[in-house]
Amino acid sequence: MKEYFTIQYQNWKLNWKKILIKLLIYIIGVFLFGMGIALYLNTRVGASHIDITNFAFIAILKGLNSNGSLSDLTSYATVLLIFYLCMLTVIVSLRATSAIINYKATHNKQIVISAVVNTILDLIPTFVWAYFVKLSELYIPVEKIGQINDTLIQTWIFIAGFLLYCFGITLTVFANLLFGPYNGLSYELHNLTKWNYKLCRVIVDFALMIVGIILILATTKFDWTTKEHWFSLYFGFGTIFMTFIAGPVIGTMLVWVKKVIKI
């Protein structure tokens, strides 16, 4: 373990300028990620794959109005944090499996130590990312966006939020510092299976969406009419767009960012 931290210290000492630049890029990425979510959060053209599940949790915990809408969105960040912690447990399983396989092949203890350290560091974005959305709501009029009746305007707001979200995620992945629960799932699946990164992100996005759908369909707290209203409000083209398009868009953006930003 001492050898691992010595190597890391030397790396920081030699490359501290590059690391600071990456940290700045990472912070900008998280900021844009939160702003993007705040923009599309209440557009009524379909919640994202993550929000489908997050809204399902909120619905079960806080209840729904008669028209299927969420009765309370104030707990959004807190419930998202819980969801992120659930993601982190899956990440730990994938990372541990990958570390064990690589250790058996190389007998390099650094692999195991790195996996443990990265898991501890992942707690930082797990607790911070969820509340960046809440921070963005200070200057993004989420409630007013939800009151817009023009579907075309809401669609354009959704697209703007989607692009900001994708670009923010792209910057955090490019910075290669703290992947966080969402990025970590795609990365660890890619690392373990060696499948194409874009494919792994689509698989993860689809799986995250399915969890929410199952939660709403399985709960006995609401009747079927209320559930249908919930789906009509939150499951739309935006959901499909985020689930199957976000991964390829982020992958494409990442290629271009690597070409433009040389560190």
Side-chain angles (χ1 to χ4, degrees), residues 108-201:
N108 185 355
K109 293 181 180 179
Q110 307 299 320
I111 294 172
V112 177
I113 297 171
S114 178
V116 173
V117 171
N118 286 335
T119 299
I120 294 172
L121 291 176
D122 270 342
L123 289 171
I124 298 172
T126 298
F127 281 89
V128 170
W129 277 34
Y131 291 97
F132 258 84
V133 180
K134 206 67 179 173
L135 178 65
S136 297
E137 289 181 15
L138 295 175
Y139 47 86
I140 300 292
V142 176
E143 292 299 324
K144 290 184 178 179
I145 290 174
Q147 294 168 4
I148 296 174
N149 294 319
D150 192 320
T151 304
L152 182 61
I153 293 176
Q154 287 217 344
T155 301
W156 279 111
I157 293 173
F158 171 83
I159 292 173
F162 169 77
L163 292 174
L164 275 176
Y165 166 88
C166 288
F167 189 57
I169 292 293
T170 300
L171 291 180
T172 60
V173 173
F174 173 77
N176 196 29
L177 293 177
L178 302 171
F179 282 113
Y182 175 46
N183 288 333
L185 276 175
S186 304
Y187 177 79
E188 293 302 334
L189 181 62
H190 164 70
N191 193 38
L192 180 62
T193 62
K194 308 306 178 186
W195 295 342
N196 181 277
Y197 177 78
K198 294 179 184 179
L199 174 63
C200 289
R201 187 165 282 277

Side-chain angles (χ1 to χ4, degrees), residues 38-70:
L39 267 177
Y40 71 64
L41 184 63
N42 212 17
T43 53
R44 307 296 187 189
V45 294
S48 72
H49 47 291
I50 291 179
D51 285 332
I52 280 290
T53 299
N54 203 35
F55 287 172
F57 277 122
I58 293 173
I60 293 170
L61 291 172
K62 300 290 185 177
L64 293 174
N65 298 317
S66 58
N67 66 348
S69 63
L70 296 169

Side-chain angles (χ1 to χ4, degrees), residues 219-237:
T219 183
T220 57
K221 191 171 183 178
F222 315 115
D223 57 37
W224 284 104
T225 301
T226 305
K227 291 179 181 180
E228 287 174 6
H229 289 325
W230 185 89
F231 275 103
S232 68
L233 285 174
Y234 301 115
F235 190 87
F237 89 88

Side-chain angles (χ1 to χ4, degrees), residues 204-217:
V204 167
D205 290 346
F206 181 73
L208 292 175
M209 177 187 69
I210 288 297
V211 171
I213 292 174
I214 292 173
L215 281 173
I216 288 295
L217 292 176

